[in-house]
């Protein structure tokens, strides 16, 4: 059988006998009668507990300051920026699926774009909280915005904090607009199907007066494509931007010219892993196996495998360049990564991101929800370990041996990180309950195109 190009795969992703009425029932039915209420309550409950852990950790942080974290000399960057980079990177796959695949008109994106866009929004919010908390005085976060204060002084644009503000603000704005504009037709359908006045008003406000006229459709298509064109370079700009936080530092091990491309590949790689995990969970919770089919999971597995090999190339270059350069400090950092106190992070990244990933060469693994979920979970763990490996050991091995130190994250580092999953899960579960998670009109359009009836 002839292999299909990765992004240009064609064929039938949806059952041929699926009718428009069945699509509408499966997409909008959960808004009135959620299929698996017990599972949703467990998801919301776990998220709420984690959110309370997060809020408690933030309260302790505000009372005691960032000194309660494990940051020290010479390791001045720890879990704060580590988890910021990890969460922000995860959001890139949602933009990739929604924007790039929209522009090249791939039909298999239609059932995945909404849950991916929501994932992007929640991940960016989780990331945005870290720089704000790291300021020490988070209520003054607006000082990092590009405007002069009362003394005519502008923010220091060489500061990573200012870079974080630009990255998060631009990414958050485009993500919100892309999600809300793309969902307008479905909000209008939900408004027309709502049974209570409150829901009619809420969905009506979100629909922005949509009536489905030809002019509305023309404006909608134009707007979504403009936003997609803006979103694609943003993925590369943001990932490259926070890679420069490291490459412009003085530490050995951070001076690779490959870092911008390396961080882009790793960000999309981890993002696809979370998209696959959420697609499997949403597919089961909403009972929409006929909309998110094994072929959709297969395509996610292929993308995960492809971006995983790009990340593996980055690992190989990272291992080769210190010896090629002959710099003793670079070699010292590399050896510390491989066999030092935190060598577990290097080997965990290799096992999860290279070893476990090879299971995706088999189609029965890619199309099996439990197996694909295990691989995706392993990738998320491996990518977090990779960020740890890239960030911590170079700071522990400064240029002077007298400046060498150690790093151990404290309890509050861990509770803040674990609690951030509550920041993600609670809003996401509410969206899952009250927002159409599949783009119904796009699925219907793809269904008609696959059947060849218009």
């Amino acid at each position: 059988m002839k292999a299909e190009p990765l992004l240009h795969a064609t064929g039938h992703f949806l059952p041929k006998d699926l009718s428009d009425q069945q699509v509408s029932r499966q997409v909008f039915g959960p808004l009135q009668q959620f299929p698996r209420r017990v599972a949703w309550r467990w998801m919301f409950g776990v998220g709420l507990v984690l959110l309370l852990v997060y809020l408690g950790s933030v309260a302790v942080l505000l009372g005691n300051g960032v000194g309660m974290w494990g940051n020290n000399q010479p390791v001045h960057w720890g879990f704060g920026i580590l988890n910021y980079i990890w969460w922000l990177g995860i959001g890139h796959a949602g933009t990739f699926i929604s924007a790039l695949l929209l522009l090249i008109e791939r039909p298999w994106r239609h059932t995945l774009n909404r849950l991916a866009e929501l994932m992007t929004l929640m991940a960016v919010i989780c990331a945005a909280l870290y720089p704000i908390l790291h300021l020490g005085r988070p209520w003054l976060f607006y000082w990092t915005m590009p405007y002069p204060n009362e003394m005519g002084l502008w923010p220091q644009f060489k500061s990573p904090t200012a870079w974080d503000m630009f990255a998060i603000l631009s990414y958050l704005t485009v993500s919100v607009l892309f999600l809300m504009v793309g969902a307008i037709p479905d909000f209008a359908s939900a408004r027309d199907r709502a049974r209570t006045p409150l829901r009619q008003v809420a969905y009506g406000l979100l629909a922005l007066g949509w009536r489905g006229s030809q002019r509305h459709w023309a404006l909608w298509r134009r707007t979504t494509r403009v936003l997609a064109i803006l979103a694609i370079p943003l993925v590369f700009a943001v990932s490259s931007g926070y890679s420069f936080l490291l490459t412009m530092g003085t530490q050995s091990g951070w001076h690779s010219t490959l870092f911008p491309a390396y961080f882009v590949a790793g960000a999309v790689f981890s993002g696809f892993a979370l998209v696959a995990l959420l697609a499997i969970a949403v597919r089961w919770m909403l009972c929409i196996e006929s909309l998110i089919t094994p072929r959709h999971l297969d395509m996610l597995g292929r993308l995960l495998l492809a971006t995983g090999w790009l990340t593996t190339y980055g690992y190989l270059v990272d291992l080769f360049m210190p010896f090629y350069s002959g710099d003793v400090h670079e070699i010292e950092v590399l050896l510390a990564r491989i066999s030092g106190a935190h060598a577990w992070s290097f080997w965990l990244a290799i096992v999860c991101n290279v070893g476990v990933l090879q299971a995706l060469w088999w189609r029965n693994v890619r199309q099996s929800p439990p197996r694909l979920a295990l691989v995706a979970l392993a990738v998320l763990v491996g990518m977090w370990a990779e960020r740890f490996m890239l960030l911590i050991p170079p700071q522990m091995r400064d240029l002077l041996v007298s400046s060498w130190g150690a790093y151990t994250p404290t309890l509050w580092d861990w509770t803040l990180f674990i609690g951030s999953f509550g920041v993600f899960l609670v809003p996401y579960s509410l969206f899952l309950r009250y927002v159409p998670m599949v783009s119904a009109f796009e699925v219907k359009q793809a269904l008609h195109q696959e059947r060849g009836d218009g």
Side-chain angles (χ1 to χ4, degrees):
M1 184 176 65
K2 185 179 180 181
E4 297 171 329
L6 184 62
L7 293 181
H8 297 274
T10 57
H12 296 285
F13 282 81
L14 300 169
K16 291 183 179 180
D17 58 348
L18 193 64
S19 66
D20 289 355
Q21 291 77 15
Q22 289 174 318
V23 172
S24 297
R25 186 162 56 248
Q26 292 189 50
V27 173
F28 299 107
L31 302 182
Q32 280 80 37
Q33 185 67 34
F34 200 83
R36 300 186 188 272
R37 288 194 174 188
V38 175
W40 181 85
R41 286 169 182 166
W42 272 101
M43 177 182 176
F44 183 75
V46 170
L48 196 58
V49 170
L50 293 175
L51 181 59
L52 292 175
V53 170
Y54 184 85
L55 294 176
S57 301
V58 169
V60 175
L61 175 66
L62 295 179
N64 298 287
V66 293
M68 58 181 278
W69 289 351
N71 300 357
N72 53 49
Q73 294 293 337
V75 185
H76 50 277
W77 278 356
F79 263 38
I81 193 166
L82 164 66
N83 296 324
Y84 162 74
I85 292 174
W86 187 74
W87 274 117
L88 194 58
I90 279 176
H92 292 330
T95 305
F96 183 90
I97 287 179
S98 296
L100 180 60
L101 300 184
L102 170 67
L103 294 177
I104 62 177
E105 298 182 350
R106 292 302 92 201
W108 56 271
R109 70 172 283 277
H110 300 320
T111 55
L112 301 173
N113 61 331
R114 188 70 45 75
L115 65 91
E117 290 164 8
L118 285 171
M119 179 206 73
T120 294
L121 180 59
M122 295 300 103
V124 171
I125 290 173
C126 290
L129 293 172
Y130 271 102
I132 293 174
L133 294 174
H134 200 188
L135 289 174
R137 292 183 289 175
W139 51 90
L140 300 177
F141 73 94
Y142 59 90
W143 283 9
T144 62
M145 293 184 178
Y147 72 95
N149 61 19
E150 62 271 13
M151 299 181 67
L153 296 176
W154 288 77
Q156 174 55 270
F157 291 110
K158 295 181 181 179
S159 170
T161 306
W163 299 0
D164 293 340
M165 186 280 303
F166 279 109
I168 291 170
L169 195 60
S170 57
Y171 209 11
L172 190 62
T173 302
V174 173
S175 298
V176 171
L177 288 175
F178 202 51
L179 171 63
M180 300 304 294
V181 171
I184 284 175
D186 285 327
F187 284 136
S189 297
R191 172 200 63 200
D192 298 337
R193 295 167 181 269
R195 298 176 182 176
T196 63
L198 179 60
R199 291 196 176 192
Q200 287 176 349
V201 171
Y203 290 130
L205 291 173
L206 292 172
L208 300 177
W210 178 271
R211 288 293 179 267
S213 66
Q214 186 176 357
R215 180 172 177 271
H216 284 181
W217 279 111
L219 289 173
W220 179 86
R221 290 190 179 93
R222 192 181 308 160
T223 304
T224 52
R225 277 154 181 76
V226 169
L227 290 173
I229 292 170
L230 291 174
I232 292 171
L234 194 61
V235 171
F236 296 92
V238 172
S239 294
S240 302
Y242 61 67
S243 74
F244 293 145
L245 297 177
L246 304 185
T247 55
M248 296 186 71
T250 59
Q251 281 82 0
S252 299
W254 287 356
H255 298 155
S256 173
T257 56
L258 187 68
F259 264 27
Y262 183 17
F263 271 65
V264 170
V268 177
F269 179 42
S270 59
F272 276 129
L274 189 55
V275 169
L277 208 58
L278 290 173
I280 292 167
V282 170
R283 179 178 187 260
W284 177 77
M285 271 195 171
L286 300 183
C287 300
I288 52 174
E289 288 82 358
S290 60
L291 298 181
I292 302 178
T293 65
R295 284 214 64 189
H296 289 95
L297 301 182
D298 182 73
M299 289 305 301
L300 286 174
R302 294 186 190 190
L303 288 168
L304 198 57
L305 184 61
T307 50
W309 273 105
L310 292 175
T311 305
T312 301
Y313 174 75
Y315 294 161
L316 294 175
V317 172
D318 226 19
L319 291 172
F320 171 74
M321 289 307 296
F323 294 105
Y324 180 74
S325 68
D327 189 304
V328 293
H329 299 294
E330 295 282 344
I331 295 173
E332 180 66 39
V333 169
L334 176 61
L335 294 177
R337 284 173 173 168
I338 296 174
S339 59
H342 297 296
W344 60 266
S345 61
F346 174 84
W347 294 110
L348 184 60
I350 295 298
V351 169
C352 292
N353 297 340
V354 181
V356 176
L357 186 72
Q358 305 315 308
L360 295 178
W361 285 106
W362 285 268
R363 181 178 295 179
N364 61 346
V365 175
R366 297 194 302 266
Q367 295 189 354
S368 169
R371 294 172 185 173
L372 181 60
L374 288 175
V375 174
L377 186 61
V379 168
L380 289 172
V381 173
M383 286 304 298
W384 185 89
E386 181 215 280
R387 302 311 194 200
F388 189 101
M389 174 265 294
L390 288 174
L391 190 69
I392 303 301
Q395 296 180 85
M396 293 170 54
R397 292 293 187 269
D398 206 350
L399 298 179
L400 296 176
V401 178
S402 59
S403 300
W404 287 7
Y407 173 77
T408 302
T410 65
L411 171 67
W412 301 109
D413 284 304
W414 285 109
T415 55
L416 201 64
F417 172 56
I418 294 171
S420 67
F421 288 93
V423 180
F424 183 96
L425 279 176
V426 170
Y428 200 93
S429 58
L430 291 174
F431 278 118
L432 186 65
R433 181 67 181 84
Y434 297 109
V435 173
M437 293 301 292
V438 173
S439 182
F441 69 95
E442 289 183 294
V443 170
K444 294 175 185 178
Q445 185 181 31
L447 196 60
H448 289 297
Q449 289 175 350
E450 288 187 356
R451 289 197 296 237
D453 55 357

